[in-house]
Amino acid sequence: MATAPRWDDLVEGEELPPLVKPALTTQQLVMFAGASYDFYQIHYDKDFAQANGLQNVIAHGLLKMAFLGQFITDWIGPNGMVRKLGCQYRGMDYPGDVITVRGTIVRKYEANGERLVDLDIWTENQRGEKTTPGRATVALAD
Amino acid sequence: MTESLLTDEARAMIGVTSEPGVHRVDRSQIRLFAEAIGDPNPLYVDEEYARTTRWGGIIAPPTFVYNLKPGAFPEIPLKTTRLLNGGDEFEYFGVVRPDDVIVVIAKWTDLYERTGRLGQMVFTIWETTYTNQHGKLVAKHKATRIRY
């Protein structure tokens, strides 16, 4: 893992190092269904998904949100803390899609004795679709 | 004019809370979750490593709490058949560790109707609190789900 970010070095507007996830697989969606107790069939049963108007099974929203979580925890390191994490689901991601998580620094400030950073974060697939835009607030360790 | 999907019966659900769901967090459940999301961070699986961090031991990834479900939570009665996830928001006040006992309570907080690409849709909002065995509120969650 990379070195934790230093507060003094952070610049508002700066882009964070992207996280490129391996291509989504149906197997991963099945694993996530089991790990998260979300057994809605649109995530692993293609016939069911197509009968519901989808072209294929789709990734769980919470899986993509977990990718956002991985992106920010990778960046802050083990001694930082996520204070807020939120996102919207604006589009579908399917098996075979390669998700890249990106983000930028919106603001850095101190509050309640913590050094906080607000981030704009989002997932992007290989079609360039930003399917999961979100925001986060993290507390840095240093 | 199209009839509204929002009946008085549906609106009456705002403010209704769930039974508490009580969960002892299992180390292997955290490991399975980390593997499922493809996150190799040793903080979630390697006790020896995790002891060297500020947490002093393994913790769960941020969105893990969503796997801990509330107790019986009555569904909002709607004449819809399909469901999409609109969005999620978490706020954290602490961390979740293996063997923690987390009490999970959900509450319906809002309901509104929109017409869009999918036709008539109802946005349903609930908020959940996660409190550990020390009585500490560790996280809050707000979910937006779209029924259509």
Side-chain angles (χ1 to χ4, degrees), chain A residues 21 28 36 51-52 62 65 67 70 78-79 82-89, chain B residues 33 36-39 49 53-55 67 82 85-92:
Chain A
K21 297 293 291 180
Q28 180 171 32
S36 67
N52 276 269
L62 266 297
M65 191 180 202
F67 295 167
Q70 180 182 358
N79 297 313
V82 180
R83 284 290 178 198
K84 288 182 187 173
L85 175 58
C87 68
Q88 294 182 316
Y89 307 110
Chain B
F33 185 77
I37 67 176
D39 188 339
Y49 165 83
T53 69
R54 72 182 276 194
W55 310 112
N67 310 331
R82 294 172 180 178
N85 196 338
D88 289 286
E89 287 173 43
F90 291 95
E91 189 170 2
Y92 301 98

PDB file of all heavy atoms in Angstrom, chain A residues 21 28 36 51-52 62 65 67 70 78-79 82-89, chain B residues 33 36-39 49 53-55 67 82 85-92:
ATOM      1  N   LYS A  21     -10.262  -1.985 -10.772  1.00  0.00           N
ATOM      2  CA  LYS A  21     -10.688  -3.295 -10.285  1.00  0.00           C
ATOM      3  C   LYS A  21     -10.605  -4.321 -11.413  1.00  0.00           C
ATOM      4  O   LYS A  21     -10.767  -3.976 -12.584  1.00  0.00           O
ATOM      5  CB  LYS A  21     -12.137  -3.208  -9.777  1.00  0.00           C
ATOM      6  CG  LYS A  21     -12.339  -2.288  -8.585  1.00  0.00           C
ATOM      7  CD  LYS A  21     -11.652  -2.809  -7.329  1.00  0.00           C
ATOM      8  CE  LYS A  21     -12.326  -4.064  -6.781  1.00  0.00           C
ATOM      9  NZ  LYS A  21     -11.637  -4.544  -5.543  1.00  0.00           N
ATOM     10  N   GLN A  28     -18.198 -13.165  -8.843  1.00  0.00           N
ATOM     11  CA  GLN A  28     -18.048 -12.145  -7.796  1.00  0.00           C
ATOM     12  C   GLN A  28     -19.418 -11.678  -7.297  1.00  0.00           C
ATOM     13  O   GLN A  28     -19.606 -11.459  -6.101  1.00  0.00           O
ATOM     14  CB  GLN A  28     -17.247 -10.946  -8.323  1.00  0.00           C
ATOM     15  CG  GLN A  28     -17.069  -9.861  -7.256  1.00  0.00           C
ATOM     16  CD  GLN A  28     -16.116  -8.760  -7.637  1.00  0.00           C
ATOM     17  OE1 GLN A  28     -16.016  -8.418  -8.798  1.00  0.00           O
ATOM     18  NE2 GLN A  28     -15.424  -8.216  -6.651  1.00  0.00           N
ATOM     19  N   SER A  36     -23.321 -10.427   1.571  1.00  0.00           N
ATOM     20  CA  SER A  36     -24.130  -9.274   1.981  1.00  0.00           C
ATOM     21  C   SER A  36     -25.604  -9.622   2.184  1.00  0.00           C
ATOM     22  O   SER A  36     -26.409  -8.740   2.435  1.00  0.00           O
ATOM     23  CB  SER A  36     -24.023  -8.165   0.927  1.00  0.00           C
ATOM     24  OG  SER A  36     -24.638  -8.583  -0.282  1.00  0.00           O
ATOM     25  N   ALA A  51     -36.101 -10.880 -17.751  1.00  0.00           N
ATOM     26  CA  ALA A  51     -37.555 -10.770 -17.582  1.00  0.00           C
ATOM     27  C   ALA A  51     -37.917  -9.469 -16.870  1.00  0.00           C
ATOM     28  O   ALA A  51     -39.060  -9.021 -16.930  1.00  0.00           O
ATOM     29  CB  ALA A  51     -38.085 -11.973 -16.798  1.00  0.00           C
ATOM     30  N   ASN A  52     -36.926  -8.853 -16.198  1.00  0.00           N
ATOM     31  CA  ASN A  52     -37.138  -7.567 -15.527  1.00  0.00           C
ATOM     32  C   ASN A  52     -36.611  -6.403 -16.352  1.00  0.00           C
ATOM     33  O   ASN A  52     -36.378  -5.312 -15.815  1.00  0.00           O
ATOM     34  CB  ASN A  52     -36.493  -7.581 -14.136  1.00  0.00           C
ATOM     35  CG  ASN A  52     -37.420  -8.201 -13.097  1.00  0.00           C
ATOM     36  OD1 ASN A  52     -38.199  -7.510 -12.453  1.00  0.00           O
ATOM     37  ND2 ASN A  52     -37.380  -9.513 -12.977  1.00  0.00           N
ATOM     38  N   LEU A  62     -24.374  -1.865  -3.690  1.00  0.00           N
ATOM     39  CA  LEU A  62     -23.487  -1.876  -2.521  1.00  0.00           C
ATOM     40  C   LEU A  62     -22.112  -2.451  -2.839  1.00  0.00           C
ATOM     41  O   LEU A  62     -21.152  -2.161  -2.128  1.00  0.00           O
ATOM     42  CB  LEU A  62     -24.141  -2.669  -1.375  1.00  0.00           C
ATOM     43  CG  LEU A  62     -24.948  -1.899  -0.320  1.00  0.00           C
ATOM     44  CD1 LEU A  62     -24.081  -0.920   0.459  1.00  0.00           C
ATOM     45  CD2 LEU A  62     -26.146  -1.207  -0.900  1.00  0.00           C
ATOM     46  N   MET A  65     -20.371   0.486  -4.185  1.00  0.00           N
ATOM     47  CA  MET A  65     -20.075   1.377  -3.066  1.00  0.00           C
ATOM     48  C   MET A  65     -18.886   0.850  -2.257  1.00  0.00           C
ATOM     49  O   MET A  65     -18.066   1.635  -1.766  1.00  0.00           O
ATOM     50  CB  MET A  65     -21.289   1.512  -2.174  1.00  0.00           C
ATOM     51  CG  MET A  65     -21.125   2.628  -1.169  1.00  0.00           C
ATOM     52  SD  MET A  65     -22.548   2.784  -0.121  1.00  0.00           S
ATOM     53  CE  MET A  65     -22.358   4.482   0.411  1.00  0.00           C
ATOM     54  N   PHE A  67     -16.414  -0.669  -3.535  1.00  0.00           N
ATOM     55  CA  PHE A  67     -15.233  -0.269  -4.321  1.00  0.00           C
ATOM     56  C   PHE A  67     -14.839   1.175  -3.965  1.00  0.00           C
ATOM     57  O   PHE A  67     -13.657   1.500  -3.853  1.00  0.00           O
ATOM     58  CB  PHE A  67     -15.496  -0.365  -5.827  1.00  0.00           C
ATOM     59  CG  PHE A  67     -15.739  -1.749  -6.368  1.00  0.00           C
ATOM     60  CD1 PHE A  67     -16.251  -1.926  -7.652  1.00  0.00           C
ATOM     61  CD2 PHE A  67     -15.444  -2.888  -5.626  1.00  0.00           C
ATOM     62  CE1 PHE A  67     -16.465  -3.194  -8.185  1.00  0.00           C
ATOM     63  CE2 PHE A  67     -15.663  -4.173  -6.145  1.00  0.00           C
ATOM     64  CZ  PHE A  67     -16.178  -4.314  -7.429  1.00  0.00           C
ATOM     65  N   GLN A  70     -13.059   0.970  -0.741  1.00  0.00           N
ATOM     66  CA  GLN A  70     -11.684   0.473  -0.895  1.00  0.00           C
ATOM     67  C   GLN A  70     -10.769   1.594  -1.401  1.00  0.00           C
ATOM     68  O   GLN A  70      -9.645   1.768  -0.930  1.00  0.00           O
ATOM     69  CB  GLN A  70     -11.654  -0.710  -1.865  1.00  0.00           C
ATOM     70  CG  GLN A  70     -10.244  -1.276  -2.082  1.00  0.00           C
ATOM     71  CD  GLN A  70     -10.201  -2.415  -3.087  1.00  0.00           C
ATOM     72  OE1 GLN A  70     -11.237  -2.830  -3.617  1.00  0.00           O
ATOM     73  NE2 GLN A  70      -9.016  -2.919  -3.347  1.00  0.00           N
ATOM     74  N   PRO A  78      -4.162   2.755   6.962  1.00  0.00           N
ATOM     75  CA  PRO A  78      -4.849   2.058   8.062  1.00  0.00           C
ATOM     76  C   PRO A  78      -5.158   2.953   9.259  1.00  0.00           C
ATOM     77  O   PRO A  78      -6.006   2.593  10.085  1.00  0.00           O
ATOM     78  CB  PRO A  78      -3.860   0.964   8.458  1.00  0.00           C
ATOM     79  CG  PRO A  78      -2.533   1.462   7.991  1.00  0.00           C
ATOM     80  CD  PRO A  78      -2.807   2.245   6.745  1.00  0.00           C
ATOM     81  N   ASN A  79      -4.509   4.109   9.379  1.00  0.00           N
ATOM     82  CA  ASN A  79      -4.725   4.945  10.559  1.00  0.00           C
ATOM     83  C   ASN A  79      -5.633   6.140  10.305  1.00  0.00           C
ATOM     84  O   ASN A  79      -5.899   6.929  11.203  1.00  0.00           O
ATOM     85  CB  ASN A  79      -3.377   5.391  11.135  1.00  0.00           C
ATOM     86  CG  ASN A  79      -2.574   4.187  11.606  1.00  0.00           C
ATOM     87  OD1 ASN A  79      -3.107   3.318  12.296  1.00  0.00           O
ATOM     88  ND2 ASN A  79      -1.323   4.108  11.194  1.00  0.00           N
ATOM     89  N   VAL A  82     -12.760   6.754   7.846  1.00  0.00           N
ATOM     90  CA  VAL A  82     -13.851   7.236   6.996  1.00  0.00           C
ATOM     91  C   VAL A  82     -14.932   7.786   7.916  1.00  0.00           C
ATOM     92  O   VAL A  82     -15.389   7.098   8.824  1.00  0.00           O
ATOM     93  CB  VAL A  82     -14.427   6.092   6.141  1.00  0.00           C
ATOM     94  CG1 VAL A  82     -15.556   6.622   5.259  1.00  0.00           C
ATOM     95  CG2 VAL A  82     -13.339   5.454   5.293  1.00  0.00           C
ATOM     96  N   ARG A  83     -15.307   9.039   7.724  1.00  0.00           N
ATOM     97  CA  ARG A  83     -16.371   9.652   8.524  1.00  0.00           C
ATOM     98  C   ARG A  83     -17.721   9.610   7.816  1.00  0.00           C
ATOM     99  O   ARG A  83     -18.748   9.403   8.440  1.00  0.00           O
ATOM    100  CB  ARG A  83     -15.999  11.109   8.847  1.00  0.00           C
ATOM    101  CG  ARG A  83     -14.955  11.238   9.923  1.00  0.00           C
ATOM    102  CD  ARG A  83     -15.544  10.827  11.251  1.00  0.00           C
ATOM    103  NE  ARG A  83     -14.585  10.874  12.334  1.00  0.00           N
ATOM    104  CZ  ARG A  83     -14.767  10.250  13.490  1.00  0.00           C
ATOM    105  NH1 ARG A  83     -15.863   9.533  13.691  1.00  0.00           N
ATOM    106  NH2 ARG A  83     -13.880  10.327  14.433  1.00  0.00           N
ATOM    107  N   LYS A  84     -17.688   9.854   6.500  1.00  0.00           N
ATOM    108  CA  LYS A  84     -18.933   9.803   5.719  1.00  0.00           C
ATOM    109  C   LYS A  84     -18.648   9.191   4.364  1.00  0.00           C
ATOM    110  O   LYS A  84     -17.579   9.436   3.778  1.00  0.00           O
ATOM    111  CB  LYS A  84     -19.510  11.212   5.501  1.00  0.00           C
ATOM    112  CG  LYS A  84     -20.106  11.836   6.733  1.00  0.00           C
ATOM    113  CD  LYS A  84     -20.690  13.199   6.404  1.00  0.00           C
ATOM    114  CE  LYS A  84     -21.132  13.902   7.682  1.00  0.00           C
ATOM    115  NZ  LYS A  84     -21.542  15.270   7.437  1.00  0.00           N
ATOM    116  N   LEU A  85     -19.605   8.427   3.878  1.00  0.00           N
ATOM    117  CA  LEU A  85     -19.489   7.837   2.550  1.00  0.00           C
ATOM    118  C   LEU A  85     -20.898   7.734   1.979  1.00  0.00           C
ATOM    119  O   LEU A  85     -21.773   7.139   2.616  1.00  0.00           O
ATOM    120  CB  LEU A  85     -18.842   6.444   2.657  1.00  0.00           C
ATOM    121  CG  LEU A  85     -18.736   5.609   1.388  1.00  0.00           C
ATOM    122  CD1 LEU A  85     -17.941   6.337   0.313  1.00  0.00           C
ATOM    123  CD2 LEU A  85     -18.071   4.271   1.699  1.00  0.00           C
ATOM    124  N   GLY A  86     -21.104   8.365   0.821  1.00  0.00           N
ATOM    125  CA  GLY A  86     -22.431   8.321   0.219  1.00  0.00           C
ATOM    126  C   GLY A  86     -22.321   8.236  -1.283  1.00  0.00           C
ATOM    127  O   GLY A  86     -21.326   8.683  -1.871  1.00  0.00           O
ATOM    128  N   CYS A  87     -23.312   7.637  -1.927  1.00  0.00           N
ATOM    129  CA  CYS A  87     -23.289   7.584  -3.394  1.00  0.00           C
ATOM    130  C   CYS A  87     -24.699   7.395  -3.939  1.00  0.00           C
ATOM    131  O   CYS A  87     -25.630   7.071  -3.210  1.00  0.00           O
ATOM    132  CB  CYS A  87     -22.386   6.460  -3.890  1.00  0.00           C
ATOM    133  SG  CYS A  87     -23.009   4.816  -3.532  1.00  0.00           S
ATOM    134  N   GLN A  88     -24.813   7.650  -5.239  1.00  0.00           N
ATOM    135  CA  GLN A  88     -26.055   7.386  -5.959  1.00  0.00           C
ATOM    136  C   GLN A  88     -25.762   6.359  -7.037  1.00  0.00           C
ATOM    137  O   GLN A  88     -24.629   6.271  -7.513  1.00  0.00           O
ATOM    138  CB  GLN A  88     -26.563   8.666  -6.619  1.00  0.00           C
ATOM    139  CG  GLN A  88     -26.993   9.718  -5.628  1.00  0.00           C
ATOM    140  CD  GLN A  88     -27.521  10.940  -6.341  1.00  0.00           C
ATOM    141  OE1 GLN A  88     -26.935  11.404  -7.320  1.00  0.00           O
ATOM    142  NE2 GLN A  88     -28.629  11.455  -5.858  1.00  0.00           N
ATOM    143  N   TYR A  89     -26.776   5.608  -7.408  1.00  0.00           N
ATOM    144  CA  TYR A  89     -26.602   4.606  -8.464  1.00  0.00           C
ATOM    145  C   TYR A  89     -27.294   5.131  -9.712  1.00  0.00           C
ATOM    146  O   TYR A  89     -28.514   5.240  -9.752  1.00  0.00           O
ATOM    147  CB  TYR A  89     -27.169   3.261  -8.010  1.00  0.00           C
ATOM    148  CG  TYR A  89     -26.578   2.845  -6.675  1.00  0.00           C
ATOM    149  CD1 TYR A  89     -27.341   2.845  -5.522  1.00  0.00           C
ATOM    150  CD2 TYR A  89     -25.229   2.505  -6.577  1.00  0.00           C
ATOM    151  CE1 TYR A  89     -26.787   2.503  -4.298  1.00  0.00           C
ATOM    152  CE2 TYR A  89     -24.670   2.163  -5.357  1.00  0.00           C
ATOM    153  CZ  TYR A  89     -25.453   2.165  -4.225  1.00  0.00           C
ATOM    154  OH  TYR A  89     -24.897   1.841  -3.012  1.00  0.00           O
TER     155      TYR A  89
ATOM    156  N   PHE B  33     -16.563 -11.014   3.287  1.00  0.00           N
ATOM    157  CA  PHE B  33     -16.960  -9.739   2.685  1.00  0.00           C
ATOM    158  C   PHE B  33     -15.775  -9.093   1.966  1.00  0.00           C
ATOM    159  O   PHE B  33     -15.902  -8.635   0.824  1.00  0.00           O
ATOM    160  CB  PHE B  33     -17.516  -8.803   3.759  1.00  0.00           C
ATOM    161  CG  PHE B  33     -18.063  -7.522   3.195  1.00  0.00           C
ATOM    162  CD1 PHE B  33     -19.309  -7.492   2.578  1.00  0.00           C
ATOM    163  CD2 PHE B  33     -17.337  -6.343   3.259  1.00  0.00           C
ATOM    164  CE1 PHE B  33     -19.815  -6.321   2.042  1.00  0.00           C
ATOM    165  CE2 PHE B  33     -17.828  -5.161   2.729  1.00  0.00           C
ATOM    166  CZ  PHE B  33     -19.075  -5.149   2.120  1.00  0.00           C
ATOM    167  N   ALA B  36     -15.137 -10.969  -1.177  1.00  0.00           N
ATOM    168  CA  ALA B  36     -16.186 -10.750  -2.183  1.00  0.00           C
ATOM    169  C   ALA B  36     -15.998  -9.408  -2.895  1.00  0.00           C
ATOM    170  O   ALA B  36     -16.242  -9.312  -4.099  1.00  0.00           O
ATOM    171  CB  ALA B  36     -17.568 -10.824  -1.532  1.00  0.00           C
ATOM    172  N   ILE B  37     -15.557  -8.394  -2.162  1.00  0.00           N
ATOM    173  CA  ILE B  37     -15.378  -7.091  -2.811  1.00  0.00           C
ATOM    174  C   ILE B  37     -13.987  -6.977  -3.438  1.00  0.00           C
ATOM    175  O   ILE B  37     -13.681  -5.993  -4.102  1.00  0.00           O
ATOM    176  CB  ILE B  37     -15.650  -5.912  -1.834  1.00  0.00           C
ATOM    177  CG1 ILE B  37     -14.612  -5.833  -0.714  1.00  0.00           C
ATOM    178  CG2 ILE B  37     -17.053  -6.017  -1.234  1.00  0.00           C
ATOM    179  CD1 ILE B  37     -14.792  -4.626   0.221  1.00  0.00           C
ATOM    180  N   GLY B  38     -13.145  -7.980  -3.219  1.00  0.00           N
ATOM    181  CA  GLY B  38     -11.821  -7.993  -3.829  1.00  0.00           C
ATOM    182  C   GLY B  38     -10.878  -6.975  -3.202  1.00  0.00           C
ATOM    183  O   GLY B  38     -10.058  -6.370  -3.881  1.00  0.00           O
ATOM    184  N   ASP B  39     -11.008  -6.795  -1.879  1.00  0.00           N
ATOM    185  CA  ASP B  39     -10.145  -5.835  -1.177  1.00  0.00           C
ATOM    186  C   ASP B  39      -9.101  -6.605  -0.359  1.00  0.00           C
ATOM    187  O   ASP B  39      -9.440  -7.231   0.644  1.00  0.00           O
ATOM    188  CB  ASP B  39     -10.993  -4.950  -0.266  1.00  0.00           C
ATOM    189  CG  ASP B  39     -10.187  -3.793   0.338  1.00  0.00           C
ATOM    190  OD1 ASP B  39      -8.947  -3.894   0.388  1.00  0.00           O
ATOM    191  OD2 ASP B  39     -10.816  -2.805   0.756  1.00  0.00           O
ATOM    192  N   TYR B  49      -0.910  -7.853  11.793  1.00  0.00           N
ATOM    193  CA  TYR B  49      -0.741  -6.561  11.134  1.00  0.00           C
ATOM    194  C   TYR B  49      -1.660  -5.514  11.770  1.00  0.00           C
ATOM    195  O   TYR B  49      -1.235  -4.390  12.083  1.00  0.00           O
ATOM    196  CB  TYR B  49      -1.033  -6.682   9.635  1.00  0.00           C
ATOM    197  CG  TYR B  49      -1.230  -5.342   8.967  1.00  0.00           C
ATOM    198  CD1 TYR B  49      -0.140  -4.589   8.553  1.00  0.00           C
ATOM    199  CD2 TYR B  49      -2.507  -4.814   8.785  1.00  0.00           C
ATOM    200  CE1 TYR B  49      -0.315  -3.343   7.979  1.00  0.00           C
ATOM    201  CE2 TYR B  49      -2.698  -3.580   8.214  1.00  0.00           C
ATOM    202  CZ  TYR B  49      -1.607  -2.840   7.806  1.00  0.00           C
ATOM    203  OH  TYR B  49      -1.790  -1.604   7.241  1.00  0.00           O
ATOM    204  N   THR B  53      -1.741  -1.097  13.954  1.00  0.00           N
ATOM    205  CA  THR B  53      -2.434   0.125  13.520  1.00  0.00           C
ATOM    206  C   THR B  53      -3.115   0.776  14.725  1.00  0.00           C
ATOM    207  O   THR B  53      -3.147   0.207  15.814  1.00  0.00           O
ATOM    208  CB  THR B  53      -3.515  -0.186  12.461  1.00  0.00           C
ATOM    209  OG1 THR B  53      -4.594  -0.907  13.084  1.00  0.00           O
ATOM    210  CG2 THR B  53      -2.942  -1.039  11.325  1.00  0.00           C
ATOM    211  N   ARG B  54      -3.694   1.941  14.512  1.00  0.00           N
ATOM    212  CA  ARG B  54      -4.368   2.662  15.602  1.00  0.00           C
ATOM    213  C   ARG B  54      -5.538   1.868  16.186  1.00  0.00           C
ATOM    214  O   ARG B  54      -5.988   2.136  17.287  1.00  0.00           O
ATOM    215  CB  ARG B  54      -4.872   4.016  15.105  1.00  0.00           C
ATOM    216  CG  ARG B  54      -6.062   3.907  14.185  1.00  0.00           C
ATOM    217  CD  ARG B  54      -6.540   5.241  13.660  1.00  0.00           C
ATOM    218  NE  ARG B  54      -7.448   5.932  14.568  1.00  0.00           N
ATOM    219  CZ  ARG B  54      -8.195   6.966  14.204  1.00  0.00           C
ATOM    220  NH1 ARG B  54      -8.122   7.421  12.954  1.00  0.00           N
ATOM    221  NH2 ARG B  54      -8.993   7.553  15.050  1.00  0.00           N
ATOM    222  N   TRP B  55      -6.036   0.886  15.428  1.00  0.00           N
ATOM    223  CA  TRP B  55      -7.226   0.148  15.871  1.00  0.00           C
ATOM    224  C   TRP B  55      -6.867  -0.984  16.825  1.00  0.00           C
ATOM    225  O   TRP B  55      -7.737  -1.504  17.512  1.00  0.00           O
ATOM    226  CB  TRP B  55      -8.004  -0.388  14.662  1.00  0.00           C
ATOM    227  CG  TRP B  55      -8.250   0.686  13.650  1.00  0.00           C
ATOM    228  CD1 TRP B  55      -7.713   0.791  12.406  1.00  0.00           C
ATOM    229  CD2 TRP B  55      -9.069   1.856  13.828  1.00  0.00           C
ATOM    230  NE1 TRP B  55      -8.142   1.937  11.791  1.00  0.00           N
ATOM    231  CE2 TRP B  55      -8.971   2.606  12.632  1.00  0.00           C
ATOM    232  CE3 TRP B  55      -9.887   2.326  14.869  1.00  0.00           C
ATOM    233  CZ2 TRP B  55      -9.649   3.813  12.458  1.00  0.00           C
ATOM    234  CZ3 TRP B  55     -10.551   3.524  14.688  1.00  0.00           C
ATOM    235  CH2 TRP B  55     -10.432   4.259  13.501  1.00  0.00           C
ATOM    236  N   ASN B  67     -24.479  -5.283   5.977  1.00  0.00           N
ATOM    237  CA  ASN B  67     -24.814  -6.718   6.019  1.00  0.00           C
ATOM    238  C   ASN B  67     -25.549  -7.097   7.294  1.00  0.00           C
ATOM    239  O   ASN B  67     -26.114  -8.183   7.378  1.00  0.00           O
ATOM    240  CB  ASN B  67     -23.540  -7.567   5.924  1.00  0.00           C
ATOM    241  CG  ASN B  67     -22.670  -7.142   4.765  1.00  0.00           C
ATOM    242  OD1 ASN B  67     -23.173  -6.651   3.775  1.00  0.00           O
ATOM    243  ND2 ASN B  67     -21.362  -7.326   4.902  1.00  0.00           N
ATOM    244  N   ARG B  82     -41.218  -3.990  -9.094  1.00  0.00           N
ATOM    245  CA  ARG B  82     -39.784  -3.951  -9.323  1.00  0.00           C
ATOM    246  C   ARG B  82     -39.088  -2.989  -8.375  1.00  0.00           C
ATOM    247  O   ARG B  82     -39.708  -2.058  -7.854  1.00  0.00           O
ATOM    248  CB  ARG B  82     -39.488  -3.577 -10.780  1.00  0.00           C
ATOM    249  CG  ARG B  82     -39.970  -4.651 -11.720  1.00  0.00           C
ATOM    250  CD  ARG B  82     -39.853  -4.216 -13.155  1.00  0.00           C
ATOM    251  NE  ARG B  82     -40.332  -5.278 -14.035  1.00  0.00           N
ATOM    252  CZ  ARG B  82     -40.386  -5.170 -15.348  1.00  0.00           C
ATOM    253  NH1 ARG B  82     -40.001  -4.058 -15.947  1.00  0.00           N
ATOM    254  NH2 ARG B  82     -40.840  -6.175 -16.074  1.00  0.00           N
ATOM    255  N   ASN B  85     -31.985   0.214  -6.707  1.00  0.00           N
ATOM    256  CA  ASN B  85     -31.298   0.906  -5.635  1.00  0.00           C
ATOM    257  C   ASN B  85     -30.977   2.325  -6.089  1.00  0.00           C
ATOM    258  O   ASN B  85     -30.340   2.523  -7.113  1.00  0.00           O
ATOM    259  CB  ASN B  85     -30.018   0.123  -5.307  1.00  0.00           C
ATOM    260  CG  ASN B  85     -29.446   0.528  -3.983  1.00  0.00           C
ATOM    261  OD1 ASN B  85     -29.730   1.618  -3.501  1.00  0.00           O
ATOM    262  ND2 ASN B  85     -28.668  -0.345  -3.395  1.00  0.00           N
ATOM    263  N   GLY B  86     -31.437   3.315  -5.321  1.00  0.00           N
ATOM    264  CA  GLY B  86     -31.196   4.699  -5.691  1.00  0.00           C
ATOM    265  C   GLY B  86     -29.888   5.253  -5.148  1.00  0.00           C
ATOM    266  O   GLY B  86     -29.161   5.967  -5.827  1.00  0.00           O
ATOM    267  N   GLY B  87     -29.582   4.912  -3.898  1.00  0.00           N
ATOM    268  CA  GLY B  87     -28.348   5.411  -3.300  1.00  0.00           C
ATOM    269  C   GLY B  87     -28.251   5.046  -1.835  1.00  0.00           C
ATOM    270  O   GLY B  87     -29.223   4.585  -1.227  1.00  0.00           O
ATOM    271  N   ASP B  88     -27.062   5.237  -1.285  1.00  0.00           N
ATOM    272  CA  ASP B  88     -26.793   4.921   0.117  1.00  0.00           C
ATOM    273  C   ASP B  88     -25.880   5.979   0.705  1.00  0.00           C
ATOM    274  O   ASP B  88     -24.997   6.491   0.016  1.00  0.00           O
ATOM    275  CB  ASP B  88     -26.094   3.559   0.236  1.00  0.00           C
ATOM    276  CG  ASP B  88     -27.022   2.408  -0.086  1.00  0.00           C
ATOM    277  OD1 ASP B  88     -27.879   2.113   0.747  1.00  0.00           O
ATOM    278  OD2 ASP B  88     -26.901   1.823  -1.183  1.00  0.00           O
ATOM    279  N   GLU B  89     -26.095   6.266   1.986  1.00  0.00           N
ATOM    280  CA  GLU B  89     -25.204   7.190   2.698  1.00  0.00           C
ATOM    281  C   GLU B  89     -24.886   6.602   4.064  1.00  0.00           C
ATOM    282  O   GLU B  89     -25.796   6.180   4.780  1.00  0.00           O
ATOM    283  CB  GLU B  89     -25.902   8.533   2.929  1.00  0.00           C
ATOM    284  CG  GLU B  89     -26.059   9.369   1.686  1.00  0.00           C
ATOM    285  CD  GLU B  89     -26.907  10.598   1.947  1.00  0.00           C
ATOM    286  OE1 GLU B  89     -26.722  11.246   2.980  1.00  0.00           O
ATOM    287  OE2 GLU B  89     -27.788  10.862   1.106  1.00  0.00           O
ATOM    288  N   PHE B  90     -23.599   6.589   4.388  1.00  0.00           N
ATOM    289  CA  PHE B  90     -23.180   6.139   5.716  1.00  0.00           C
ATOM    290  C   PHE B  90     -22.494   7.283   6.442  1.00  0.00           C
ATOM    291  O   PHE B  90     -21.801   8.111   5.835  1.00  0.00           O
ATOM    292  CB  PHE B  90     -22.156   4.991   5.617  1.00  0.00           C
ATOM    293  CG  PHE B  90     -22.729   3.698   5.105  1.00  0.00           C
ATOM    294  CD1 PHE B  90     -22.638   3.370   3.757  1.00  0.00           C
ATOM    295  CD2 PHE B  90     -23.347   2.799   5.967  1.00  0.00           C
ATOM    296  CE1 PHE B  90     -23.153   2.173   3.272  1.00  0.00           C
ATOM    297  CE2 PHE B  90     -23.850   1.607   5.498  1.00  0.00           C
ATOM    298  CZ  PHE B  90     -23.767   1.290   4.151  1.00  0.00           C
ATOM    299  N   GLU B  91     -22.679   7.288   7.762  1.00  0.00           N
ATOM    300  CA  GLU B  91     -21.888   8.170   8.623  1.00  0.00           C
ATOM    301  C   GLU B  91     -21.318   7.302   9.730  1.00  0.00           C
ATOM    302  O   GLU B  91     -22.023   6.446  10.286  1.00  0.00           O
ATOM    303  CB  GLU B  91     -22.774   9.273   9.192  1.00  0.00           C
ATOM    304  CG  GLU B  91     -21.980  10.339   9.902  1.00  0.00           C
ATOM    305  CD  GLU B  91     -22.814  11.567  10.265  1.00  0.00           C
ATOM    306  OE1 GLU B  91     -24.032  11.564   9.982  1.00  0.00           O
ATOM    307  OE2 GLU B  91     -22.248  12.494  10.826  1.00  0.00           O
ATOM    308  N   TYR B  92     -20.029   7.511  10.043  1.00  0.00           N
ATOM    309  CA  TYR B  92     -19.342   6.630  10.998  1.00  0.00           C
ATOM    310  C   TYR B  92     -18.871   7.402  12.226  1.00  0.00           C
ATOM    311  O   TYR B  92     -18.286   8.474  12.114  1.00  0.00           O
ATOM    312  CB  TYR B  92     -18.134   5.970  10.329  1.00  0.00           C
ATOM    313  CG  TYR B  92     -18.510   5.156   9.118  1.00  0.00           C
ATOM    314  CD1 TYR B  92     -18.391   5.687   7.839  1.00  0.00           C
ATOM    315  CD2 TYR B  92     -19.019   3.869   9.260  1.00  0.00           C
ATOM    316  CE1 TYR B  92     -18.765   4.953   6.722  1.00  0.00           C
ATOM    317  CE2 TYR B  92     -19.398   3.128   8.152  1.00  0.00           C
ATOM    318  CZ  TYR B  92     -19.266   3.675   6.880  1.00  0.00           C
ATOM    319  OH  TYR B  92     -19.640   2.945   5.785  1.00  0.00           O
TER     320      TYR B  92
END
